[in-house]
Amino acid sequence: SHRVRVDGFWMDVHAVTNAEFRAFVAATGYLTTAERKPDWEELKKQVPPGTPKPDDSLLVPGSLVFTPPDHAVPLNDMSGWWSWTPGANWQHPEGPGSNIDGLDAYPVVQVSFEDAIAFAKWAGKRRPTEAEWEFAARGGLENRRYPWGDEFMPAGADGKPRHMANTFQGSFPHRNTAEDSFIGRAPVASFPPNGYGLYD
């Protein structure tokens, strides 16, 4: 590890929401990576030489979707819980049968690095550097296991342990007990902010 110095910077209070991303798309007509048909000539540049061209049925817009199995699977093979899903994108996070109706306050998902940069540019902002993100995420704490301290579930005002973040509880990836009240995503700012007043 090494120390890094950062100049002053601004940070949004929470992750970009579906409502914020929708405003960007409405204003610009932007099409996300997951909504564009893959171009084999471009993909060829990103895979080992000699990789065969995938069947045309696979070269369709889509994204990976978390698809928990109904049983325990080996944890050294992510294909046990991630599936390529044609039609999955920010408006249809789990695929064509899903939507974001009523989920305006949820963080936007199924966006690429390229999409995030386009949004930030439109918003007159920029993505933070890794050092800035880490500084902001720590909320002023140093050498702590979590952004809120060393205990995963510290005691709340009532003395009972409380969840401080949206995490998977249970047996990953097949059984989420939702002890934190959420399976999958949670609306932004559902849990306490860090020492800098930043959420999630």
Side-chain angles (χ1 to χ4, degrees), residues 11-17 20 105 107 188-189 197-200:
M11 180 70 73
D12 281 351
V13 171
H14 57 70
V16 176
T17 64
E20 291 166 328
V188 298
L198 306 176
Y199 293 89
D200 313 318

Side-chain angles (χ1 to χ4, degrees), residues 2 6 9 40 44 46 57-58 60 66 69 84 92 100-101 120 127-128 130 147 188:
H2 62 282
V6 296
F9 61 95
W40 173 239
K44 252 196 314 199
Q46 302 170 35
S57 66
L58 297 174
V60 295
F66 180 68
W84 169 253
H92 306 283
I100 56 171
D101 295 348
R127 289 178 45 91
E130 181 181 0
V188 298

